[in-house]
């Protein structure tokens, strides 16, 4: 309750601030385009970083647009996200920048938003092409190529292995677009370098689950040389499993996302490499694209954003 | 006479679950190359201490005909407190661990308080705590996984005869729990409350004290599990323990504890946890994919409970 009061007070203060700055000759607050940012779970560090990046960008460009940022409770709460989009249509926002919790289920409601004259930009998790085509929708995807990023990490790992080495993949939640893309990227790199993928299991993006899965994997395949994890949380779990089994250093681990908790491990060499898709900029790229579309009414085209390889040298 | 009967009953108890376990081990031993090894044993022993400790608390709660859905979130929250105390405040491990257990106990005490004072269903109160403690975990950590490293690794490195400190702690908790349950007045009162709370009250049992203790115990054990969980992963993850409550309940029920209260055993809960862990490990080693793993796990949980039903019927006939 106290939090809610504090929150309301904070919002009121921010609005007051906006109105006051809005009086200084600049156009009033309500004439600026309003952009809604709809994300997945704000409990997830990745989306939190995304949101903070967006808020900072808005603060620096307060004269260009107003931001409404919303998230859902957990990443599978599709229903709630549909409701959020509907609310945003009702509030007559100018653009919606969305990281869909489900690449298929969110397409119809975004179609309704477009029909209502709202510009929709897709970030993070790409809408399913077949569903978009089926509904005759064109929603631009602004984001990194996860497959390319994973391939980059895999290629760097391959330089530290011998052709024919046994490797294993720890995937994200089965069926999630990013999980599939990253697995494909890992597979591309491993096959190209002649490695032998002997196991692939889901770690549900989660540390403890990956820890259990990896513990069992290394028992069954003592010849394993490397484990490719589709995110850093799972890489942390994998490293803990190797430490418990006394195989740290023997088996190489790579991750994806470059979260803060992985930095220490990168420096120590316990994690060989990860990929940074610039979480703090992801929402901003989407917002800037939406602004561009609002200003110039350009045609929706996909736009690729950078993914960088992070190794011990770049670790912060 | 009564002692002998009790002994017979408990041996039969362990026999049923032991057979299920032996069956699983034999199956995985035949279908994989490396399941039947000491490494697998050590892996499983290293994986389950937190699950065992949570399940012991859950056994007590189910015996008094309650339920505690908050254990996974309480684990995350108290683990978050531990992580922040160690990393941000630079506390020594002992003090941070004490604070962690304190945090878990407070969550448990709040559960107990609401259940007793306003006579609310434990299901709703602990469901509320499941949400609130998770929120607390996000607040405390700023939604970021805290890398712990250093001092906490010692917890898992200590050990005697190849058994880690967490595993021995879990075994100690199981033994202490079983003694508390079957050897003390407190334990008998728990069964009495679970069988019929009104009768227990009329016979002069201090319901408030026992119920509150059980919920505090469940919270404190979840926090103890959090220490072990964080030590194993050398990280405090605000998303830790999601779904642990259901896994604990499954293990406890496989162990023959009644969801309606009044009946249960800590040692059988231990077997329940081991069965689930063997299943999970074995399925990974077989190379089964996620959909199959879930199908099989679900089927084994139900099959184990059905097996327990027939064992009890057999017992009732021979008694």
């Amino acid at each position: 309750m106290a939090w809610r009061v504090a929150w309301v007070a904070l919002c009121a203060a921010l609005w007051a601030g906006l109105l006051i700055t809005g009086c200084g000759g600049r156009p009033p607050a309500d004439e600026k385009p309003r952009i809604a940012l709809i994300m997945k779970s704000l409990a997830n560090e990745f989306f939190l970083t995304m949101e903070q990046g967006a808020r900072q960008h808005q603060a620096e460009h307060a004269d260009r647009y107003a931001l409404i940022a919303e998230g859902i409770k957990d990443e599978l709460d599709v229903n709630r996200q549909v409701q959020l989009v509907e609310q945003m249509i009702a509030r007559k926002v100018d653009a919606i920048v969305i990281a869909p919790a489900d690449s298929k289920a969110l397409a119809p409601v975004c179609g309704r938003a477009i029909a209502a004259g709202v510009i929709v930009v897709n970030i993070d998790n790409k809408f399913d092409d077949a569903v978009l085509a089926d509904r005759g929708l064109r929603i631009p995807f602004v984001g990194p190529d996860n497959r390319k990023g994973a391939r980059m990490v895999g290629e760097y790992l391959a330089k530290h292995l011998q052709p024919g080495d046994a490797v294993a993949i720890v995937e994200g939640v089965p069926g999630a677009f990013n999980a599939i893309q990253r697995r494909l990227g890992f597979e591309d790199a491993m096959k190209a370098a002649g490695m032998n993928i002997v196991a692939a299991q889901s770690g549900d993006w989660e540390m403890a689950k990956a820890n259990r899965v990896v513990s069992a994997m290394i028992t069954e395949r003592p010849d394993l040389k490397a484990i490719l994890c589709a995110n850093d949380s799972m890489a942390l779990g994998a490293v803990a499993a190797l430490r418990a089994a006394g195989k740290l250093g023997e088996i190489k681990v790579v991750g994806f996302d470059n979260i803060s908790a992985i930095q220490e491990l990168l420096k120590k060499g316990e994690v060989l490499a990860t990929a940074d898709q610039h979480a703090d900029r992801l929402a901003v790229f989407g917002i800037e694209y939406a602004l561009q579309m609002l200003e110039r009414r350009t045609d929706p085209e996909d736009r690729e954003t950078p993914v960088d390889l992070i190794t011990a040298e770049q670790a912060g | 006479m009564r002692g002998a009967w009790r002994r017979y009953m408990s041996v039969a108890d362990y026999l049923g679950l032991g057979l299920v376990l032996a069956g699983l081990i034999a199956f995985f031993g035949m279908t994989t190359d490396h399941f039947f090894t000491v490494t697998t044993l050590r892996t499983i022993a290293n994986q389950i201490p937190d699950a065992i400790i949570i399940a012991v608390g859950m056994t007590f709660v189910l015996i008094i005909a309650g339920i505690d859905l908050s254990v996974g979130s309480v684990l995350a929250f108290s683990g978050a407190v531990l992580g922040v105390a160690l990393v941000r405040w630079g506390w020594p491990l002992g003090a941070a661990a004490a604070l962690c257990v304190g945090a878990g106990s407070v969550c448990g005490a709040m559960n107990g308080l609401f259940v007793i004072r306003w006579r609310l269903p434990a299901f709703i109160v602990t469901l509320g705590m499941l949400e609130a403690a998770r929120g607390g975990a996000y607040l405390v950590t700023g939604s970021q996984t805290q890398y712990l490293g250093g001092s906490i690794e010692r917890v898992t490195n200590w050990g005697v005869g190849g058994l880690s400190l967490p595993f021995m702690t879990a075994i100690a908790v199981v033994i202490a729990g079983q003694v508390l349950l079957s050897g003390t007045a407190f334990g008998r009162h728990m069964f009495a409350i679970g069988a019929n709370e009104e009768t227990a009250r009329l016979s002069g049992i201090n319901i408030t004290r026992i119920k509150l203790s059980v919920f505090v115990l469940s919270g404190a054990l979840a926090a103890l599990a959090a220490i072990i969980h964080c030590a194993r992963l050398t990280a405090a993850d605000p998303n830790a323990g999601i779904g642990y409550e259901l896994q604990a309940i499954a293990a406890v029920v496989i162990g023959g504890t009644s969801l309606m209260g009044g009946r249960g055993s800590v040692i059988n809960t231990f077997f329940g946890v081991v069965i689930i862990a063997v299943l999970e490990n074995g399925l990974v080693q077989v190379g089964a994919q996620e959909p199959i793993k879930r199908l099989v796990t679900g089927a084994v949980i139900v099959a184990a409970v059905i097996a327990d039903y027939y064992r009890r019927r057999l017992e009732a006939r021979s008694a």
Side-chain angles (χ1 to χ4, degrees):
Chain A
M1 195 59 208
W3 278 106
R4 175 168 281 181
V5 171
W7 182 238
V8 169
L10 185 68
C11 289
L14 284 175
W15 267 111
L18 280 175
L19 291 175
I20 290 163
T21 51
C23 293
R26 270 177 257 167
D30 49 314
E31 277 185 24
K32 289 187 298 188
R34 290 187 305 158
I35 296 182
L37 174 63
I38 299 178
M39 271 169 303
K40 291 203 263 179
S41 167
L42 291 182
N44 182 323
E45 180 175 352
F46 182 73
F47 293 105
L48 196 71
T49 312
M50 234 156 98
E51 191 209 13
Q52 285 162 349
R55 288 196 188 280
Q56 199 185 342
H57 182 265
Q58 197 276 333
E60 286 161 10
H61 301 89
D63 53 327
R64 285 179 69 199
Y65 70 101
L67 179 71
I68 306 163
E70 295 275 5
I72 50 177
K73 195 180 76 174
D74 63 57
E75 300 200 6
L76 304 173
D77 198 355
V78 174
N79 207 21
R80 173 76 188 130
Q81 213 183 22
V82 171
Q83 284 173 9
L84 280 174
V85 175
E86 276 165 351
Q87 280 170 21
M88 292 306 150
I89 301 172
R91 286 169 72 177
K92 296 194 173 14
V93 298
D94 297 283
I96 293 174
V97 176
I98 183 167
D102 185 291
S103 55
K104 296 191 177 85
L106 264 297
V109 75
C110 287
R112 286 204 288 282
I114 293 172
V118 179
I119 283 174
V120 178
V121 175
N122 176 204
I123 56 169
D124 180 56
N125 181 17
K126 195 175 183 311
F127 277 116
D128 190 272
D129 285 328
V131 173
L132 290 186
D134 182 53
R135 307 190 73 91
L137 292 173
R138 281 183 75 191
I139 300 177
F141 177 71
V142 178
D145 183 340
N146 276 273
R147 185 169 182 170
K148 198 161 124 191
R151 197 190 314 137
M152 233 155 48
V153 172
E155 281 163 358
Y156 182 79
L157 169 69
K159 288 182 200 156
H160 295 75
L161 299 172
Q162 305 295 328
D165 278 355
V167 301
I169 296 176
V170 181
E171 297 174 57
V173 170
F177 178 77
N178 286 348
I180 296 168
Q181 291 299 307
R182 290 177 194 183
R183 191 197 65 215
L184 290 174
F186 285 151
E187 284 175 359
D188 291 348
M190 290 297 103
K191 282 178 188 156
M195 304 301 160
N196 184 13
I197 302 171
V198 296
Q201 287 276 333
S202 169
D204 282 349
W205 299 127
E206 198 207 339
M207 198 191 303
K209 173 90 185 279
N211 180 258
R212 293 196 296 272
V213 164
V214 169
S215 296
M217 272 181 177
I218 55 180
T219 310
E220 186 58 20
R221 296 294 308 218
D223 57 333
L224 218 52
K225 292 289 185 297
I227 297 167
L228 299 98
C229 302
N231 78 357
D232 283 348
S233 287
M234 297 194 293
L236 281 169
V239 167
L242 296 183
R243 187 182 298 118
K247 292 196 167 180
L248 212 55
E250 252 176 75
I251 300 177
K252 299 190 166 56
V253 177
V254 293
F256 202 107
D257 280 348
N258 197 28
I259 65 172
S260 56
I262 206 90
Q263 304 305 316
E264 186 103 354
L265 299 184
L266 278 169
K267 276 186 258 174
K268 281 200 279 183
E270 293 176 358
V271 171
L272 190 65
T274 185
D276 192 338
Q277 47 178 339
H278 305 280
D280 60 329
R281 303 282 307 157
L282 280 183
V284 173
F285 290 136
I287 289 168
E288 282 185 334
Y289 196 75
L291 284 171
Q292 190 189 321
M293 282 178 70
L294 280 170
E295 282 157 13
R296 300 186 210 143
R297 293 282 155 189
T298 45
D299 267 351
E301 299 272 347
D302 288 359
R303 179 184 286 183
E304 195 181 319
T305 61
V307 194
D308 295 322
L309 178 72
I310 305 292
T311 62
E313 287 145 43
Q314 290 92 24
Chain B
M1 187 58 205
R2 191 164 163 266
W5 178 76
R6 277 185 73 106
R7 202 172 317 128
Y8 161 74
M9 195 181 125
S10 43
V11 167
D13 266 14
Y14 307 147
L15 206 67
L17 292 173
L19 280 177
V20 173
L21 194 56
L24 282 176
I25 292 173
F27 173 76
F28 289 124
M30 283 188 292
T31 48
T32 67
D33 299 332
H34 294 91
F35 187 82
F36 213 66
T37 57
V38 181
T39 323
T40 303
L41 190 70
R42 214 174 42 218
T43 304
I44 293 177
N46 187 30
Q47 295 289 334
I48 55 174
D50 43 355
I52 293 174
I53 292 172
I54 285 184
V56 170
M58 188 68 79
T59 309
F60 294 154
V61 179
L62 289 188
I63 284 174
I64 63 163
I67 196 160
D68 188 350
L69 297 177
S70 70
V71 286
S73 294
V74 170
L75 178 141
F77 173 65
S78 40
V81 169
L82 175 78
V84 168
L86 281 173
V87 175
R88 264 189 242 159
W89 307 336
W91 284 24
L93 183 57
L99 185 70
C100 169
V101 173
S105 308
V106 168
C107 293
M110 281 166 68
N111 279 336
L113 188 74
F114 289 123
V115 167
I116 297 160
R117 172 63 183 81
W118 286 283
R119 302 215 169 186
L120 298 172
F123 191 96
I124 292 302
V125 171
T126 59
L127 188 64
M129 183 56 77
L130 175 143
E131 285 292 311
R134 183 67 62 186
Y138 292 138
L139 275 181
V140 169
T141 55
S143 299
Q144 292 199 341
T145 298
Q146 308 277 311
Y147 177 72
L148 306 175
S151 64
I152 199 149
E153 283 179 38
R154 288 207 313 261
V155 173
T156 40
N157 289 344
W158 281 327
V160 180
L163 293 175
S164 65
L165 179 67
F167 186 70
M168 289 189 297
T169 310
I171 296 298
V173 168
V174 168
I175 294 170
Q178 187 63 51
V179 168
L180 183 71
L181 205 56
S182 49
T184 67
F186 185 81
R188 283 195 298 281
H189 291 169
M190 284 200 299
F191 282 118
I193 292 173
N196 190 329
E197 192 172 325
E198 210 38 50
T199 318
R201 191 192 310 276
L202 292 174
S203 61
I205 294 173
N206 187 340
I207 309 262
T208 304
R209 188 178 69 92
I210 290 182
K211 275 191 151 181
L212 188 64
S213 310
V214 167
F215 278 103
V216 170
L217 211 54
S218 179
L221 287 173
L224 181 61
I227 299 172
I228 289 169
H229 188 86
C230 291
R232 184 171 76 237
L233 299 170
T234 59
D237 173 8
N239 290 309
I242 291 173
Y244 277 27
E245 57 285 342
L246 295 181
Q247 211 165 359
I249 292 169
V252 174
V253 172
I254 286 177
T257 295
S258 167
L259 275 173
M260 303 298 145
R263 183 165 61 81
S265 141
V266 172
I267 294 183
N268 277 333
T269 291
F270 170 77
F271 280 116
V273 175
V274 174
I275 285 174
I276 291 181
V278 163
L279 196 60
E280 190 177 4
N281 252 274
L283 287 171
V284 173
Q285 289 188 232
V286 170
Q289 287 305 300
E290 199 64 20
I292 304 296
K293 276 158 67 178
R294 296 202 165 196
L295 268 170
V296 173
T297 309
V300 170
I301 289 174
V302 176
V305 178
I306 291 175
D308 185 62
Y309 166 82
Y310 280 108
R311 180 188 55 73
R312 267 185 291 128
R313 240 180 42 166
L314 215 67
E315 241 170 50
R317 217 174 282 162
S318 62

